[in-house]
Amino acid sequence: MSAIATELSAAELSKGAGLPKWLAPLIIVAFAYTVIPLIGGSYLFEAILLPFLALSLAGVGLNVLTGYAGQVSLGSAAFMAVGAFAAYNFNLRVEGLPLVASIVFSGIVAAAIGIVFGLPSLRLRGFYLAVSTLAAQFFVQWALTKFSWFSNESASGVIDAPKLSIAGFEFDGAVGRYLFALTVVVILTFLAHRLVSSQTGRNFIAIRDNEIAARIIGIPVLKTKLLAFAISSFIIGVAGVIWAFAYLRTVEPAGFDLDRSFQILFIIIIGGLASIRGAFLGAALIVVFPLALSRLGGFLLGDLFDSGVLDMSQRIVLGALIILFLILEPDGLVALWDRVRRRLLLAWQSS
């Protein structure tokens, strides 16, 4: 309920400022399409924006399942891998299939796998469900490594992603891949927002808050849970396509390991559960934080701050941040952001 209150407070804040709540996202999207491609350098796109967009979309998908429907999953990276490898094989083996169709079909395959591994949710909850979803992580990685057909008989298991081409227009270079990823993220985020604002989203929230009460008032609990797994896996599968095709430009099972699943889970915890905005705020922190920590550590410690120290420091600080957020601000960065905006608005109105 606290997450719902956070969203309502944001809406009330926009209303109090005399602005429609869709205006801020529209301005951000317009800025992302028009200004950033003109002023951004290759490093900005390759190292920050592309991973940010892919992880944000994965966070949106997991938030639909965990934040809104209350079903914990630790297999997000597995569904990213399914999406990436499915899109690669559709593009490779179905002659003349458009890239958009390959992406949609890959999301459907990921959704089907998500339903299969979501079946334990009909009996299990909480920690036990989270542990059961690890089966998806281990099984998918094993299957992709064991059967070389998925990687087109590549000896190393690493394959090059196909070119991003839609209707004869190729998205070449960092800017082109950024615009491609941005378009996919904007479309799916908009659809996810419409979904969680609909009756289906309210059904998700009802099951999350009290499954027994939801069943009593006539919500089909089993069907709704599987629907949440399907929709979440579809979105995460498409995020895997962006991660492999637009960001890494390679497709390999090692890029979708258990650490990636925990990374996506940390994104929605830090950003804010049951909040679409929270997925983007959490992803921004996760992407920018290692870069900032590397610069700061190099400035303070010089050569002593190598990659090993950076990795360990990152894990320690992120762990501490998660503990602090769970204790001090369970609603994450989105709640802090709304609180700051509210105070600034009150100060502006009183001046």
Side-chain angles (χ1 to χ4, degrees):
M1 296 300 292
S2 57
I4 300 175
T6 300
E7 295 292 340
L8 290 175
S9 64
E12 292 172 357
L13 183 60
S14 298
K15 183 178 179 181
L19 300 175
K21 59 182 180 180
W22 50 262
L23 183 59
L26 182 61
I27 293 175
I28 293 174
V29 170
F31 182 83
Y33 270 109
T34 58
V35 179
I36 290 182
L38 297 177
I39 65 174
S42 178
Y43 179 81
L44 176 65
F45 295 113
E46 299 281 1
I48 298 177
L49 292 180
L50 283 170
F52 162 73
L53 289 171
L55 291 175
S56 296
L57 187 59
V60 170
L62 184 59
N63 229 337
V64 169
L65 179 66
T66 302
Y68 287 94
Q71 309 302 302
V72 183
S73 173
L74 295 178
S76 299
F79 303 124
M80 289 182 71
V82 169
F85 275 89
Y88 170 80
N89 281 280
F90 277 124
N91 185 79
L92 175 69
R93 305 181 191 282
V94 182
E95 186 176 354
L97 186 67
L99 178 63
V100 174
S102 298
I103 295 175
V104 173
F105 289 153
S106 69
I108 293 174
V109 172
I113 301 297
I115 291 176
V116 171
F117 287 98
L119 290 173
S121 68
L122 308 182
R123 295 281 184 178
L124 303 177
R125 302 178 188 173
F127 171 78
Y128 299 99
L129 176 61
V131 172
S132 72
T133 58
L134 284 175
Q137 183 67 49
F138 297 133
F139 174 80
V140 168
Q141 274 200 290
W142 171 82
L144 295 176
T145 304
K146 179 70 174 179
F147 302 102
S148 58
W149 180 88
F150 292 111
S151 56
N152 196 28
E153 309 298 336
S154 172
S156 63
V158 180
I159 48 183
D160 293 330
K163 292 183 178 180
L164 301 177
S165 177
I166 298 178
F169 182 81
E170 292 189 358
F171 294 87
D172 292 328
V175 176
R177 288 183 280 117
Y178 160 75
L179 292 174
F180 170 83
L182 177 63
T183 302
V184 175
V185 170
V186 168
I187 292 173
L188 286 184
T189 300
F190 173 75
L191 294 177
H193 173 72
R194 293 295 300 269
L195 173 74
V196 299
S197 302
S198 67
Q199 182 59 49
T200 300
R202 289 189 284 272
N203 289 348
F204 288 165
I205 294 172
I207 291 176
R208 178 199 67 191
D209 291 342
N210 194 318
E211 185 175 319
I212 296 177
R215 183 178 287 108
I216 291 174
I217 63 177
I219 295 176
V221 173
L222 305 185
K223 178 182 176 182
T224 304
K225 282 185 177 182
L226 293 181
L227 179 62
F229 269 96
I231 294 172
S232 171
S233 300
F234 180 94
I235 297 174
I236 295 175
V238 175
V241 178
I242 295 176
W243 183 265
F245 285 24
Y247 172 46
L248 295 181
R249 303 296 297 142
T250 58
V251 188
E252 58 175 322
F256 305 100
D257 56 7
L258 185 59
D259 285 345
R260 189 73 60 213
S261 292
F262 279 112
Q263 185 182 47
I264 299 170
L265 181 62
F266 295 162
I267 284 173
I268 66 171
I269 291 175
I270 294 175
L273 293 171
S275 171
I276 300 297
R277 292 178 300 147
F280 288 88
L281 293 176
L285 179 64
I286 290 293
V287 171
V288 174
F289 171 73
L291 302 176
L293 183 63
S294 176
R295 297 289 179 88
L296 179 61
F299 175 76
L300 296 177
L301 301 177
D303 294 337
L304 295 176
F305 199 81
D306 56 16
S307 59
V309 176
L310 171 63
D311 183 66
M312 186 59 64
S313 302
Q314 178 183 343
R315 292 174 184 269
I316 293 173
V317 177
L318 280 179
L321 280 176
I322 291 171
I323 294 174
L324 288 175
F325 273 108
L326 290 175
I327 295 175
L328 302 178
E329 187 51 83
D331 292 329
L333 288 172
V334 67
L336 293 177
W337 174 250
D338 286 339
R339 190 176 299 120
V340 170
R341 289 175 59 194
R342 189 180 301 111
R343 289 179 179 176
L344 291 176
L345 178 61
L346 292 175
W348 176 75
Q349 290 178 341
S350 61
S351 61

